């Protein structure tokens, strides 16, 4: 019987420079992983997180669960996932740069 090998996505450690790569909880930390790749990755990395997590989970995380992405990453997410609408994305609705009233 083979020892169980924990599957991890095929992503370069450079995307997670501020983490101990061998200690990342890929399942529990999926929002961090997906957000980091949307923000800093390219098509190959996007394809890999979709392969690893499944398209539905990635889209749900980007639309409903990730609380912050910079504006350029929101635009990238819209290119990667045309079914997303900016106005439905939690990170867009939660932007810090949107106008608000002081009073």
């Amino acid at each position: 019987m083979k020892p169980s090998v924990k599957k991890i996505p095929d992503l370069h450690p450079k995307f997670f420079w501020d983490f101990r790569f061998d200690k990342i909880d890929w399942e529990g930390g999926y929002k961090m992983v997906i957000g980091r790749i949307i923000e800093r990755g390219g098509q190959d990395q996007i394809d890999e997180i979709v392969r690893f997590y499944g398209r539905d989970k990635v889209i749900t995380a980007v639309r409903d669960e990730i609380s912050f992405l910079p504006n350029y990453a929101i635009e990238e997410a819209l290119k990667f996932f045309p079914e997303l609408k900016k106005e439905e994305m939690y990170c867009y609705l939660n932007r810090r740069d949107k106008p608000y009233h002081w009073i």
Side-chain angles (χ1 to χ4, degrees):
M1 190 171 184
K2 285 183 178 179
S4 66
V5 176
K6 187 177 180 192
K7 297 277 188 210
I8 67 169
D10 184 19
L11 296 169
H12 196 282
K14 72 180 180 183
F15 292 106
F16 307 96
W17 71 91
D18 50 346
F19 290 89
R20 293 247 339 248
F21 190 76
D22 59 337
K23 300 290 185 197
I24 293 174
D25 176 359
W26 297 101
E27 288 302 324
Y30 72 94
K31 289 187 278 189
M32 176 278 296
V33 174
I34 293 169
R36 184 70 57 101
I37 295 305
I38 293 288
E39 188 175 342
R40 302 185 183 276
Q43 188 65 57
D44 290 345
Q45 292 78 31
I46 296 294
D47 292 345
E48 179 58 16
I49 61 169
V50 167
R51 183 201 64 77
F52 186 77
Y53 292 115
R55 189 170 184 88
D56 289 343
K57 185 170 183 166
V58 173
I59 288 172
T60 298
V62 172
R63 186 185 57 225
D64 302 329
E65 300 175 327
I66 296 173
S67 59
F68 176 77
L69 285 173
N71 288 334
Y72 74 86
I74 291 172
E75 296 302 323
E76 287 298 305
L78 296 171
K79 288 181 202 165
F80 290 132
F81 304 105
E83 60 269 43
L84 286 173
K85 291 180 177 53
K86 188 184 331 190
E87 298 76 22
E88 295 175 351
M89 294 171 65
Y90 179 63
C91 58
Y92 177 76
L93 299 172
N94 196 38
R95 285 187 343 272
R96 294 187 186 117
D97 67 344
K98 65 184 173 189
Y100 54 91
H101 299 287
W102 286 96
I103 302 174

